[in-house]
């Protein structure tokens, strides 16, 4: 059973919005697009394990995707956590093409692709640290010592996995994605007795789900950008011209003649990811380049947003509008 579904990460949504709102000539566009490309590739790799996981018996396993918990003053995030009555399994996914070599002496993952070698931190070290953090988290929350294991899953089936001859047990820790169900079955059979009863398991699932904390950050601060550097107005989804004109409740592109009733929704999503989760009538007018206060009010009312305050002090929440992916 999937308890926490896999969704497009907030980091990707914010980078997409930033790429949408910065002029293509901006000097930071190349680094932003490079970061976005890497994160989207990582998300694609993580999503690739969803199919093999679907072969597991839903009533026996509880699955959390992109789970972030707090261990003392630190946070730790797991690509996927699988919990059963017998064990907890941390799954770390790597989407790496080419040939990869696990160096047990220097604890490196070395990729060779198109004749070029690149070193990465060893994901086995990462999952070992996560095992320790998850164990501490269980104890801190009053749960008995559930066996905690981990796997590193290579999501690209064409990736060649190599290591040194003495590292013979690597295949127990590092696998291709299609081997995930059989490895989970192997772990299940190796542990004879369950740690939790049905009631205890349901309790721990509730506590894990309740303690997830979404990672958040200001993408403008990360790239040392100011709101004034962003493109304002409603951007045409067809030709990328901006700003669109608003006539009788409809957005009109003077460049390609596109007409749209709801083009402002994308603009307000961009505002949410880049500037803030709430907006006032005045802020909407400034960002969408709408001159009329009455027109801005009609736009806000049409979206059925929750709000607080009254008259000029009314503040609208964009949260429900911006998490519909």
């Amino acid at each position: 059973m999937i308890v926490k579904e896999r969704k497009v990460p907030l980091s990707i949504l914010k980078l997409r919005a930033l790429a949408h709102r910065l002029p293509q000539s901006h000097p930071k566009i190349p680094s932003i697009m490079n970061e976005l490309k890497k994160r989207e590739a990582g998300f694609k790799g993580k999503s690739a394990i969803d199919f093999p996981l679907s072969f597991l018996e839903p009533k026996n396993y509880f699955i959390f995707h992109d789970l972030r918990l707090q261990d003392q003053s630190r946070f730790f995030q797991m690509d996927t956590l699988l919990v059963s009555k017998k064990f907890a399994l941390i799954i770390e996914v790597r989407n790496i093409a080419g040939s990869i070599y696990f160096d047990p002496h220097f604890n490196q993952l070395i990729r060779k692709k198109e004749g070029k070698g690149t070193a990465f931190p060893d994901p086995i070290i990462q999952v070992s640290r996560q095992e320790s953090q998850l164990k501490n988290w269980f104890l801190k929350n009053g749960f008995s010592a559930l066996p905690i294991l981990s796997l590193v899953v290579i999501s690209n089936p064409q990736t060649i996995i190599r290591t040194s001859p003495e590292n013979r047990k690597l295949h127990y820790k590092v696998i291709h994605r299609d081997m995930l169900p059989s490895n989970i079955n192997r772990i299940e059979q190796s542990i004879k007795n369950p740690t939790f009863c049905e009631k205890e398991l349901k309790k721990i699932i509730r506590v894990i789900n309740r303690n997830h904390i979404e990672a958040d950050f200001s993408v403008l601060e990360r790239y040392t950008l100011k709101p004034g550097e962003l493109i304002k107005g409603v951007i045409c989804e067809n030709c990328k011209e901006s700003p669109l004109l608003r006539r009788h409740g409809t957005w009109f592109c003077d460049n390609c003649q596109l007409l749209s009733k709801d083009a402002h929704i994308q603009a307000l999503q961009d505002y949410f990811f880049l500037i803030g989760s709430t907006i006032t009538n005045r802020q909407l007018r400034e960002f969408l380049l709408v001159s009329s206060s009455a027109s801005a009010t009609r736009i806000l009312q049409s979206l059925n947003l929750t709000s607080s305050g009254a008259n000029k002090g009314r503040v609208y929440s964009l949260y429900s509008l911006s998490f519909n992916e």
Side-chain angles (χ1 to χ4, degrees), residues 25-132:
S25 59
H26 195 285
K28 292 186 178 177
I29 278 289
S31 60
I32 291 167
M33 295 306 298
N34 183 55
E35 179 68 15
L36 178 58
K37 182 179 178 181
K38 287 194 297 184
R39 288 185 178 270
E40 287 184 329
F43 178 67
K44 181 180 179 182
K46 292 175 176 62
S47 301
I49 72 166
D50 294 349
F51 179 69
L53 285 176
S54 69
F55 287 91
L56 299 177
E57 177 56 52
K59 67 179 181 180
N60 293 339
Y61 301 99
F62 294 85
I63 299 171
F64 300 82
H65 294 303
D66 299 317
L67 180 67
R68 185 171 179 261
L69 300 174
Q70 186 171 9
D71 172 31
Q72 299 178 0
S73 61
R74 301 178 300 271
F75 288 93
F76 63 106
Q77 184 159 343
M78 295 162 282
D79 290 344
T80 294
L81 175 67
L82 184 148
V83 181
S84 74
K85 291 179 182 179
K86 291 184 176 181
F87 64 92
L89 176 66
I90 298 169
I91 302 173
E92 177 68 20
V93 184
R94 286 289 187 271
N95 184 14
I96 305 178
S99 175
I100 58 175
Y101 178 81
F102 283 83
D103 186 338
H105 301 291
F106 296 100
N107 299 119
Q108 286 183 320
L109 171 61
I110 302 171
R111 177 185 69 184
K112 286 191 176 181
K113 184 181 178 183
E114 299 174 351
K116 181 181 178 182
T118 308
F120 298 91
D122 189 343
I124 297 175
I125 302 296
Q126 179 181 337
V127 292
S128 296
R129 182 174 62 248
Q130 289 173 339
E131 285 182 26
S132 176

Side-chain angles (χ1 to χ4, degrees), residues 160-174:
I160 299 170
I161 304 172
R162 292 194 175 101
T163 190
S164 59
E166 67 268 25
N167 198 13
R168 293 186 299 272
K169 293 186 178 181
L170 182 74
H171 66 281
Y172 288 112
K173 181 67 72 172
V174 181

Side-chain angles (χ1 to χ4, degrees), residues 105-319:
H105 301 291
F106 296 100
N107 299 119
Q108 286 183 320
L109 171 61
I110 302 171
R111 177 185 69 184
K112 286 191 176 181
K113 184 181 178 183
E114 299 174 351
K116 181 181 178 182
T118 308
F120 298 91
D122 189 343
I124 297 175
I125 302 296
Q126 179 181 337
V127 292
S128 296
R129 182 174 62 248
Q130 289 173 339
E131 285 182 26
S132 176
Q133 290 177 297
L134 185 59
K135 179 180 179 180
N136 291 338
W137 186 90
F138 277 132
L139 294 174
K140 185 182 73 172
N141 284 274
F143 297 107
S144 55
L146 181 72
I148 299 172
L149 304 100
S150 61
L151 287 172
V152 175
V153 177
I154 307 303
S155 63
N156 189 330
Q158 295 179 325
T159 301
I160 299 170
I161 304 172
R162 292 194 175 101
T163 190
S164 59
E166 67 268 25
N167 198 13
R168 293 186 299 272
K169 293 186 178 181
L170 182 74
H171 66 281
Y172 288 112
K173 181 67 72 172
V174 181
I175 62 172
H176 275 116
R177 71 184 188 202
D178 292 335
M179 296 302 296
L180 191 52
S182 61
N183 273 263
I184 292 172
N185 290 333
R186 172 181 57 80
I187 294 169
E188 180 76 37
Q189 294 169 11
S190 69
I191 302 174
K192 301 302 180 184
N193 299 314
T195 301
F196 295 135
C197 66
E198 190 73 28
K199 183 178 179 180
E200 290 172 326
L201 181 60
K202 289 182 178 179
K203 180 181 178 182
I204 197 170
I205 295 306
R206 289 196 302 270
V207 174
I208 291 173
N209 203 33
R210 189 169 64 241
N211 279 269
H212 166 73
I213 300 173
E214 188 78 31
D216 200 0
F217 64 96
S218 168
V219 72
L220 294 185
E221 289 181 4
R222 176 167 293 185
Y223 286 94
T224 59
L225 296 166
K226 297 178 180 179
E229 296 178 74
L230 301 175
I231 299 170
K232 289 187 176 182
V234 176
I235 301 174
C236 179
E237 63 180 27
N238 183 48
C239 70
K240 309 307 177 186
E241 186 74 11
S242 66
L244 298 189
L245 306 174
R246 188 164 177 82
R247 298 173 181 171
H248 308 295
T250 300
W251 297 100
F252 170 72
C253 179
D254 198 36
N255 184 57
C256 71
Q257 315 305 307
L258 178 76
L259 297 175
S260 175
K261 287 284 188 181
D262 58 4
H264 52 273
I265 293 178
Q266 176 65 61
L268 291 175
Q269 289 175 335
D270 290 345
Y271 184 97
F272 176 91
F273 293 123
L274 300 176
I275 298 176
S277 60
T278 61
I279 196 167
T280 64
N281 185 296
R282 179 180 60 81
Q283 289 170 331
L284 182 140
R285 283 183 277 131
E286 290 177 354
F287 191 71
L288 300 191
L289 301 179
V290 174
S291 58
S292 167
S293 176
S295 180
T297 297
R298 286 192 291 271
I299 290 172
L300 289 165
Q301 290 177 343
S302 71
L303 297 171
N304 297 315
L305 303 173
T306 58
S307 63
S308 59
N311 302 322
K312 291 184 178 180
R314 187 176 295 277
V315 177
Y316 297 83
S317 171
L318 298 174
Y319 190 85

